[in-house]
Amino acid sequence: MEEGLAVETRELVKKYGNFTAVDHLNLKIDRGVTYGLLGPNGSGKTTTIKVLCDLLKPTGGEAFLLGKKVGDNSIAPRIGYMPQETALYLDLSIHDNICLFGEVYGMNRAEIDSAEKNLLEFVDLTKWRNTPVSNLSGGMRHRTSLACSMIHNPELLFMDEPTVGVDPELRASFWEYFETLGKRGATVVITTHYMDEAHRCGKIGMMRQGKLITEGSPQDIIQSTGCGSLEDAFLELARRGGHHAD
Amino acid sequence: MRIKRALAITKRIFRGLRHDRRTVALILLAPILAMTLFGIAFSGEVEDVDVIVVDHDSGDLSERIISNLDDKTLNIRFMDSEQNAVKKVEDGNAWAVFVFPEDFSQNIATKNAVIHLRADKSNVNVASAIAVTLREAMTETLTQAGGEMPISVSESPVYGENAEFIDFFVPGIMAFAIFLLTTLLTLLAFVGERTSGTLERLKASPMRDGEIVLGYVIAFGIIGMVQASLLLIIATVGFNVTIEGNPFLAYIIVALLALVSVNLGILLSAAAKREAQAVQFLPMIILPTFLLAGIFWPVEAIPSFLRWASFAIPPTYGVEAMRSVMVRGWGLGEIWMELVILLAFALVFMILSVKSLQRGKG
């Protein structure tokens, strides 16, 4: 794996029976970048994230995170994962959920308390700390989910469609937070099918039918296709059958 | 394997119970209700059975037998007409008619004295109680008259001298309740983990599959112990069941049974996509356990072609071990084989449940 890369895949393939969800994917994501993996539903984004988080075994190819091959036990403590669904214990309070994931990541009580205080302030849930998650609104659950995936201050954070079903105000605050994480040096990999959001990523990769059809900064992709928006660029690239911007 | 991570899962299960009164009620009330209902239903004996005596005997032997009939078991009425008395049985207004013929006393000398019993034998327990009561009254009358049975049985029980039916089934109910409730609770909790995405989140963390399983085993092992304590308290205080052996050994059996059940629950959860599907497994757990594990009738009473099924399910060994400790007063030296078999079941189920977590990777 190349030095300075947070994520690298080489000819990564994932098949479900005869269906190829990820088709010879070659990704290179630099450390400290906010990387958006774009594509319509069924394009292979979530499968890619799951293979990278070692939740699915690849059918072929290789994947590396932070210099280690996926499957190496030393990777898990250094990465964070926010699944598509909120994936929280509804019968527990926000505090209990955060504590659980802190303990799972081997943090002691003082470390959890300190991280929890900062995170709850950031996601604006301090006063709801002891409320069971089942009593929270959808947006609050998303923010709690984000806090749980961040409790151990990961170097590399995977977020699978974090803004789906989130109101515009919360989406804006999420993106501000992702940018803050990038500025702190963390690598953030976000999947989304909202093309308008992708402008805020440092780099994006567009996927279609399991393949990466282009990769680059949002501006580069727009310029190289001669289109007015990322959405039009995606449609143009899909029509052409794929083209790499850089 | 880090015990701290496993304990984080254990703690989360107990933290969750603080807000889940329904599950707490199931954990605490189900064993109480089961033991109380079974205790009340099975600790009583057959009493107040309506029978009719038609006494045509010209001598006094019939009167002496009738006076020796246990009036607690039988509620005796007299009628003159055998036909009318039998009609009462046919109409469901009595369970049996005892008919003493006119020459009953006379025939005793020629050993031809016969009591005609016309009974409704649709209820085996009631019919058996009537027959036993009549036989005891005859023996008592014979003894009072100075007659003696040519053969007698000298009883000296090896185990269970004062044991009643409730002593027999309490160990069975304990094993059944722990097995059923632990499997059910784990199954539902684990299906919840799978469907809500929390299991995926845990698997993306440093948490190992074995640690998740261990966390569940510890939590539900503790819950099983609490349930066993409740069952033992109700059995001993409420129904005067005596525990002949070491109660600590009974707890070890419960812990092993809980270990088996937790892993079975996790294993079954892999085949259920949602909670409603998980509930469909219940008859598969309840029926074989209830019918084949020797809870209410011995495994020896099950037809030989089906008996292998009894030995293929873990509760059979839990029931047998529990009964041996509680009724026979056996120790570790006598029940080690059942414990080893339960442990083997637990280990096999644990390996399979961990494998089932890994299988999801595809």
Side-chain angles (χ1 to χ4, degrees):
Chain A
M1 182 179 182
E2 284 179 33
E3 287 287 322
L5 288 180
V7 179
E8 183 181 2
T9 66
R10 296 176 191 159
E11 298 296 318
L12 191 70
V13 177
K14 177 64 191 177
K15 290 185 177 183
Y16 298 104
N18 292 327
F19 175 70
T20 305
V22 178
D23 193 359
H24 297 87
L25 183 71
N26 292 296
L27 267 183
K28 283 182 180 176
I29 302 174
D30 293 317
R31 292 191 195 215
V33 166
T34 300
Y35 188 97
L37 206 50
L38 269 70
N41 290 330
S43 59
K45 307 182 300 288
T46 297
T47 303
T48 302
I49 295 279
K50 286 189 177 180
V51 170
L52 292 173
C53 290
D54 198 23
L55 295 168
L56 291 173
K57 274 187 185 161
T59 312
E62 290 178 307
F64 299 87
L65 300 181
L66 305 166
K68 307 272 183 189
K69 191 169 181 181
V70 168
D72 188 306
N73 289 335
S74 66
I75 296 176
R78 298 168 66 192
I79 66 167
Y81 171 57
M82 183 178 166
Q84 221 172 77
E85 59 273 29
T86 48
L88 296 167
Y89 293 100
L90 300 185
D91 49 355
L92 299 188
S93 64
I94 295 175
H95 167 71
D96 287 341
N97 270 284
I98 288 175
C99 276
L100 167 67
F101 288 103
E103 287 167 7
V104 162
Y105 282 93
M107 297 168 73
N108 62 36
R109 177 58 49 195
E111 289 169 337
I112 293 171
D113 287 346
S114 164
E116 182 192 12
K117 189 172 177 294
N118 292 334
L119 279 168
L120 288 185
E121 277 173 18
F122 177 77
V123 294
D124 196 20
L125 286 172
T126 304
K127 69 176 179 180
W128 304 95
R129 181 177 178 267
N130 294 314
T131 307
V133 173
S134 56
N135 295 349
L136 299 177
S137 67
M140 288 166 140
R141 290 183 193 188
H142 269 86
R143 284 184 272 160
T144 308
S145 177
L146 181 63
C148 287
S149 57
M150 289 295 303
I151 183 70
H152 59 298
N153 195 22
E155 294 169 53
L156 171 59
L157 182 59
F158 292 101
M159 298 191 204
D160 192 7
E161 308 264 12
T163 54
V164 167
V166 174
D167 63 67
E169 199 180 346
L170 185 61
R171 276 167 65 183
S173 75
F174 264 31
W175 277 99
E176 277 169 27
Y177 185 54
F178 303 153
E179 284 162 5
T180 310
L181 290 174
K183 282 175 193 161
R184 285 186 199 163
T187 311
V188 182
V189 180
I190 301 167
T191 71
T192 180
H193 58 259
Y194 296 132
M195 300 289 172
D196 57 321
E197 289 185 346
H199 281 288
R200 305 185 77 156
C201 294
K203 196 173 178 183
I204 55 175
M206 286 186 171
M207 286 187 77
R208 185 171 176 267
Q209 294 174 347
K211 288 187 167 77
L212 192 67
I213 57 172
T214 192
E215 193 182 36
S217 70
Q219 293 75 19
D220 287 346
I221 291 174
I222 290 170
Q223 275 177 11
S224 68
T225 53
C227 297
S229 69
L230 276 175
E231 195 161 352
D232 291 340
F234 178 82
L235 293 171
E236 173 62 20
L237 288 165
R239 191 183 58 79
R240 283 189 216 164
H243 163 77
H244 283 264
D246 56 15
Chain B
M1 174 81 74
R2 289 213 184 149
I3 190 75
K4 271 184 84 172
R5 288 201 290 247
L7 287 175
I9 296 293
T10 306
K11 273 195 271 181
R12 105 103 199 118
I13 292 167
F14 284 112
R15 280 173 182 159
L17 289 177
R18 284 185 315 197
H19 305 286
D20 189 355
R21 288 182 188 167
R22 210 168 35 180
T23 305
V24 172
L26 180 69
I27 289 169
L28 298 180
L29 293 181
I32 293 173
L33 201 66
M35 183 56 79
T36 308
L37 288 178
F38 278 112
I40 291 169
F42 287 103
S43 61
E45 292 173 0
V46 178
E47 288 178 4
D48 295 328
V49 177
D50 285 321
V51 296
I52 301 169
V53 171
V54 179
D55 188 6
H56 294 146
D57 186 15
S58 54
D60 65 348
L61 184 60
S62 60
E63 279 177 30
R64 281 189 276 158
I65 291 173
I66 293 164
S67 67
N68 282 325
L69 285 171
D70 180 7
D71 58 3
K72 196 177 165 197
T73 307
L74 303 182
N75 191 12
I76 302 165
R77 279 184 292 164
F78 291 89
M79 289 181 78
D80 293 329
S81 162
E82 180 180 346
Q83 199 180 0
N84 290 345
V86 171
K87 182 78 169 58
K88 290 278 183 196
V89 176
E90 287 171 352
D91 293 344
N93 294 322
W95 283 98
V97 179
F98 303 157
V99 182
F100 293 88
E102 192 177 350
D103 52 0
F104 180 69
S105 293
Q106 286 171 10
N107 286 345
I108 196 82
T110 56
K111 296 183 180 173
N112 283 326
V114 175
I115 303 169
H116 297 286
L117 175 62
R118 304 290 305 275
D120 172 359
K121 294 181 86 170
S122 61
N123 187 317
V124 178
N125 290 339
V126 172
S128 169
I130 293 168
V132 168
T133 306
L134 183 57
R135 205 169 296 124
E136 282 174 354
M138 284 160 54
T139 308
E140 180 69 19
T141 308
L142 197 65
T143 308
Q144 286 167 354
E148 275 183 21
M149 291 280 283
I151 300 169
S152 65
V153 176
S154 168
E155 257 195 280
S156 176
V158 178
Y159 297 116
E161 184 166 4
N162 299 311
E164 294 178 11
F165 187 65
I166 192 167
D167 296 281
F168 167 80
F169 86 79
V170 159
I173 287 297
M174 278 182 68
F176 178 64
I178 302 295
F179 183 72
L180 176 65
L181 289 172
T182 310
T183 306
L184 174 67
L185 289 170
T186 315
L187 176 58
L188 292 177
F190 227 82
V191 169
E193 293 265 18
R194 288 179 193 274
T195 53
S196 69
T198 49
L199 181 65
E200 198 172 76
R201 192 168 214 152
L202 288 173
K203 283 164 71 69
S205 78
M207 178 78 78
R208 308 275 174 85
D209 295 333
E211 290 163 353
I212 299 172
V213 171
L214 183 62
Y216 265 80
V217 165
I218 295 171
F220 285 102
I222 293 169
I223 290 170
M225 298 292 200
V226 172
Q227 290 176 323
S229 302
L230 283 171
L231 291 165
L232 281 174
I233 289 168
I234 297 165
T236 50
V237 177
F239 298 102
N240 297 321
V241 169
T242 49
I243 303 167
E244 299 292 338
N246 186 348
F248 180 69
L249 211 49
Y251 279 102
I252 290 179
I253 299 164
V254 167
L256 277 174
L257 211 50
L259 188 65
V260 173
S261 316
V262 168
N263 287 294
L264 179 64
I266 295 173
L267 199 55
L268 291 175
S269 75
K273 286 192 171 64
R274 50 185 183 273
E275 288 180 3
Q277 284 184 352
V279 174
Q280 290 169 2
F281 286 117
L282 278 183
M284 283 169 54
I285 304 165
I286 294 176
L287 284 176
T289 308
F290 204 77
L291 299 173
L292 300 174
I295 295 169
F296 290 109
W297 47 89
V299 172
E300 288 77 5
I302 294 165
S304 54
F305 73 89
L306 197 60
R307 211 170 292 165
W308 63 268
S310 294
F311 296 115
I313 57 173
T316 304
Y317 302 95
V319 170
E320 181 59 26
M322 196 79 84
R323 196 167 280 151
S324 295
V325 170
M326 290 179 65
V327 184
R328 290 174 172 149
W330 281 5
L332 201 57
E334 289 85 9
I335 64 159
W336 67 270
M337 182 58 96
E338 279 81 10
L339 297 188
V340 167
I341 293 171
L342 280 176
L343 195 61
F345 267 113
L347 286 175
V348 169
F349 284 173
M350 192 181 277
I351 291 166
L352 292 175
S353 61
V354 171
K355 290 265 180 214
S356 78
L357 292 184
Q358 289 164 353
R359 202 187 59 178
K361 275 188 170 184

